[in-house]
Amino acid sequence: MLERSDLAENALQCLHDEDYDRPFNTQALNADTMIFTGGRQGLALDGTWNFCVDLLDTGLRQKWYAMTPEAPEDRTEPWDYDPYAGETVQVPSCWQMQKEKWYFFEGSAWYTRALEAGPLAPGNRRFLRVGAAQYDCKVFVNGQFLGNHYGGSTPFCVEVTEALRDGTNWIMFCVNNARTLDRVPMRNTDWFNYGGIYREVALYETPATVIRDVFVHLADDGIRIAVTADGPATEAEVEIPGLSLSLVIALTSGKGDVTVPARPQLWSPEDPVLYDLSISAGGDRVTDRVGFRTIERRGTEILLNGKPVFLRGISVHEDDATLGKVTSEADLRRRFAHAKELGCNYLRLAHYPHHELAAQIADELGLMLWEEVPVYWAIDFANPATRRDAENQLRELIHRDRNRASVIIWSVGNENPDTDARLEFMKGLADLAKAEDPTRLTSAACLVNHAKLKIEDRLAQHIDVIGLNEYYGWYEENFEELGIIGRNSAPDRPVVISETGADGDSEQGPARGLFSLAYQEEVYERQIETLRGLDYVKGMSPWILYDFRVERRQNPFQRGWNRKGLIAGDKASKKPAFAILAAYYAERARAEAAEAELVPEAGT
Ligand code: GCB
């Protein structure tokens, strides 16, 4: 049967064209189109959206986005979908968690909703912002394609000033979570491939000038404030009432920065002091709450505000038994409360950018963070498109979170194979992180040379902190080797054990041996015993706080979950290994406190 459509140029075109996706892969929504949203009052577009999965991309081929809303009986064309009727889902959500039939669905899915917009004051602008959509999100407004975004965990914005009209508008997103070789991450990961718009969506209105970016940090001679605005304004006003600061920054081509002499009280886990900040330009106004601190490396030390610090950490995924990747504030607060109970001063947010609230709450609670982009395992390192995608995700993450004192490390990847292409790619990312933000440390989970039994990775000299994932007692059988690696290695910079651990199934696990809680406990005991003697190890974030869902683990003890959590997937049932790590962290914290008492504060 031929397809009949006024919209396709001829009837068969939409069936035969295998390049149908190309016009929609502009990646025009990226780090450069972000706007700064701190303190803005947006119109939330969360709630019920019409929804349809589209395995064969019929919607793009057949131009579903161009359908006008009509009663089915008035339609003159036999369309295969009606965006204005049918099934619905909640936004934000992961479709896997909405209906069982979508649990393993991977491909495109369409979201449609109406938006009533009032008239726009002359000169004003409007922007849609999506907190995150996994992985490719194409944006249509009233049938017009406005661009797409690549990357499942960073926010993106699209200007809709021209596209929105006074009255009823139709917003459509086509979200595709297919796993492909060229994406970041690529096809193979050890976490669940959720799909959908799983963070908040909002509409913002601004005057003709919009503040796109604000970067505030401690500098050698005070506080540096950099502003990027887009529009006619030629200056920005900045206020930090807590420091009695009020100043004007001249903008040239929308950019300006100033360094003011100021001596704020420093942020630290013990005293997470934050200052309110407001920035105005051309009638646009944003706010933020920022902490000031320094983080550096000196030899194998990590220095926070000039003093050596040991990172007592835990790794965490963004995953929930009923919500999938959707994050709520209550969930984040529970996560941080568990981390504090464990004695942590630090968390590794693996393996992709977590919800932006995470760093905001960590700022407030005094927890340090490692944030990461999903350059995971065997990325297509030689592919320039893959590199562009990874670089953009890194820039989006840094622009989103570089005012968060809690964030001390940008990680550019995890356990990647040692090839020349990988070295070039990841060195590029580490350099980019420094260019975007010279005030933080860079890291990556690096490699061990198993023949020589030593930490050896060509990437190490290009990053500040060597992350090391090691699973002695689990994937690596011979525990003695960990001690040998420890003694054979003499890194010139700090090492953080970014992962270690073992599975323990609290529901059906055996009484002893692999997957038993007793075995997991023993692995923690032995790990701690070995690692505590390595003086260049300046922190650890064992794998992981909670059990998490993943497709690739299906044995009778896993049942679709990675069971390395110190707490089960119910986020309540602690396993015995929790107490082992908590005891070690308590001992370290006591020793540090005692040492701090002996070393007088500078100037006392
Ligand atoms: C790793 C990976 C992490 C996995 C973990 C495991 O090395 O970095 O993503 O989930 O091991 O449990 O195997």
Side-chain angles (χ1 to χ4, degrees):
M1 194 196 94
L2 299 185
E3 301 262 311
R4 187 155 56 91
S5 170
D6 292 339
L7 295 158
E9 278 159 28
N10 69 61
L12 278 174
Q13 180 191 339
C14 65
L15 302 181
H16 292 174
D17 181 10
E18 279 311 309
D19 278 335
Y20 64 89
D21 194 32
R22 194 178 300 235
F24 304 105
N25 196 5
T26 57
Q27 293 172 52
L29 313 180
N30 51 43
D32 295 328
T33 55
M34 285 171 84
I35 66 167
F36 193 87
T37 48
R40 289 189 195 278
Q41 280 306 311
L43 172 70
L45 299 180
D46 303 332
T48 307
W49 288 59
N50 289 350
F51 181 77
C52 176
V53 295
D54 179 18
L55 185 67
L56 304 183
D57 275 341
T58 307
L60 291 175
R61 297 168 189 270
Q62 221 181 46
K63 304 186 180 174
W64 288 351
Y65 52 85
M67 286 180 77
T68 47
E70 277 170 280
E73 49 276 18
D74 294 337
R75 290 208 181 280
T76 53
E77 297 210 31
W79 291 94
D80 293 315
Y81 172 53
D82 186 340
Y84 309 97
E87 289 189 285
T88 59
V89 290
Q90 292 304 303
V91 168
S93 75
C94 299
W95 61 65
Q96 287 81 1
M97 300 292 104
Q98 297 275 297
K99 284 192 183 159
E100 208 176 338
K101 66 177 178 177
W102 296 323
Y103 193 75
F104 282 121
F105 178 77
E106 295 186 325
S108 290
W110 291 84
Y111 291 75
T112 307
R113 67 160 279 164
L115 166 63
E116 298 300 328
L120 191 62
N124 274 16
R125 302 166 71 173
R126 284 180 175 135
F127 297 84
L128 269 178
R129 182 185 196 259
V130 177
Q134 167 74 4
Y135 173 93
D136 170 6
C137 182
K138 302 172 174 72
V139 180
F140 302 87
V141 173
N142 298 324
Q144 188 190 345
F145 173 61
L146 297 183
N148 80 312
H149 177 259
Y150 256 28
S153 309
T154 39
F156 58 93
C157 300
V158 52
E159 180 157 12
V160 291
T161 309
E162 303 294 330
L164 282 188
R165 55 193 175 218
D166 185 5
T168 304
N169 296 271
W170 291 97
I171 316 285
M172 277 180 104
F173 293 122
C174 177
V175 180
N176 180 297
N177 76 330
R179 292 167 299 108
T180 66
L181 271 181
D182 59 339
R183 290 186 175 176
V184 184
M186 48 77 92
R187 289 193 296 213
N188 192 19
T189 60
D190 194 40
W191 68 88
F192 198 91
N193 183 30
Y194 292 107
I197 304 172
Y198 68 93
R199 291 189 192 143
E200 297 73 10
V201 182
L203 178 74
Y204 295 96
E205 186 169 332
T206 73
T209 293
V210 57
I211 297 170
R212 288 203 177 267
D213 188 58
V214 176
F215 183 22
V216 191
H217 60 89
L218 215 51
D220 289 344
D221 38 2
I223 292 174
R224 179 172 173 270
I225 304 157
V227 177
T228 304
D230 163 7
T234 53
E235 54 182 43
E237 288 122 55
V238 179
E239 304 221 339
I240 309 182
L243 294 171
S244 306
L245 272 183
S246 176
L247 50 110
V248 171
I249 302 179
L251 301 174
T252 311
S253 306
K255 285 186 183 295
D257 73 274
V258 71
T259 301
V260 282
R263 291 176 63 88
Q265 214 183 313
L266 298 184
W267 181 98
S268 68
E270 297 73 35
D271 191 7
V273 50
L274 300 173
Y275 291 89
D276 285 315
L277 164 93
S278 73
I279 301 103
S280 315
D284 194 28
R285 183 172 186 273
V286 294
T287 62
D288 208 349
R289 236 172 120 59
V290 296
F292 298 96
R293 51 110 197 86
T294 59
I295 190 82
E296 303 153 274
R297 79 171 155 100
R298 189 179 57 203
T300 59
E301 296 286 359
I302 297 176
L303 305 178
L304 174 71
N305 296 328
K307 293 190 205 132
V309 64
F310 183 88
L311 304 176
R312 302 188 306 270
I314 189 71
S315 293
V316 62
H317 257 299
E318 196 170 53
D319 193 32
D320 187 79
T322 53
L323 296 175
K325 255 178 92 58
V326 176
T327 303
S328 67
E329 181 170 348
D331 184 48
L332 282 170
R333 291 200 181 270
R334 169 175 51 193
R335 181 180 310 175
F336 290 143
H338 275 140
K340 287 236 170 185
E341 202 181 324
L342 199 54
C344 294
N345 57 9
Y346 160 77
L347 287 96
R348 176 186 182 197
L349 305 187
H351 283 297
Y352 40 73
H354 287 211
H355 195 291
E356 56 213 289
L357 255 184
Q360 290 169 21
I361 298 174
D363 266 15
E364 172 205 308
L365 298 177
L367 286 161
M368 293 176 278
L369 299 178
W370 153 310
E371 293 199 342
E372 182 166 343
V373 284
V375 176
Y376 186 85
W377 290 352
I379 295 287
D380 191 2
F381 290 111
N383 184 339
T386 304
R387 179 147 172 192
R388 254 195 325 275
D389 185 1
E391 287 177 352
N392 183 57
Q393 292 188 43
L394 181 63
R395 289 185 67 219
E396 287 174 340
L397 170 63
I398 293 177
H399 284 235
R400 194 193 71 176
D401 281 359
R402 64 183 168 175
N403 291 337
R404 303 280 72 81
S406 52
V407 180
I408 55 165
I409 293 174
W410 302 122
S411 167
V412 296
N414 185 75
E415 287 180 355
N416 314 100
D418 185 17
T419 61
D420 290 349
R422 171 263 193 173
L423 181 63
E424 179 58 29
F425 185 114
M426 295 192 56
K427 176 184 170 315
L429 288 182
D431 292 347
L432 177 65
K434 285 285 183 197
E436 293 286 341
D437 176 9
T439 75
R440 287 179 174 78
L441 305 175
T442 52
S443 189
C446 295
L447 304 169
V448 162
N449 182 329
H450 285 277
K452 293 193 206 156
L453 286 179
K454 76 190 277 216
I455 302 170
E456 194 176 86
D457 190 323
R458 292 184 288 165
L459 181 63
Q461 59 181 294
H462 303 290
I463 54 182
D464 295 309
V465 174
I466 302 173
L468 192 65
N469 296 355
E470 54 83 6
Y471 282 91
Y472 282 91
W474 191 251
Y475 301 120
E476 310 286 347
E477 243 173 283
N478 185 355
F479 226 108
E480 305 316 314
E481 283 184 5
L482 180 58
I484 301 173
I485 290 172
R487 289 190 294 279
N488 283 353
S489 306
D492 63 346
R493 57 200 71 205
V495 171
V496 166
I497 305 297
S498 33
E499 288 177 35
T500 184
D503 284 63
D505 178 10
S506 27
E507 281 165 36
Q508 297 177 33
R512 58 181 181 79
L514 299 180
F515 295 97
S516 69
L517 297 180
Y519 187 82
Q520 185 192 41
E521 191 180 354
E522 190 187 330
V523 167
Y524 268 81
E525 279 164 352
R526 296 192 65 180
Q527 280 285 346
I528 290 166
E529 186 186 299
T530 312
L531 294 172
R532 71 191 318 154
L534 301 178
D535 59 0
Y536 52 79
V537 171
K538 291 302 187 249
M540 57 197 284
S541 51
W543 196 249
I544 187 167
L545 186 59
Y546 303 118
D547 289 354
F548 59 96
R549 187 181 272 113
V550 60
E551 299 90 331
R552 63 191 282 274
R553 302 195 181 262
Q554 297 294 343
N555 86 25
F557 307 123
Q558 298 166 322
R559 306 181 302 285
W561 285 70
N562 184 315
R563 305 275 178 195
K564 293 192 187 68
L566 291 175
I567 300 179
D570 63 2
K571 299 188 175 170
S573 313
K574 295 195 185 94
K575 305 180 192 177
F578 185 99
I580 303 297
L581 188 62
Y584 175 55
Y585 283 167
E587 175 204 314
R588 282 212 76 107
R590 274 195 305 275
E592 279 162 30
E595 206 171 305
E597 295 236 319
L598 292 178
V599 183
E601 285 283 321
T604 58

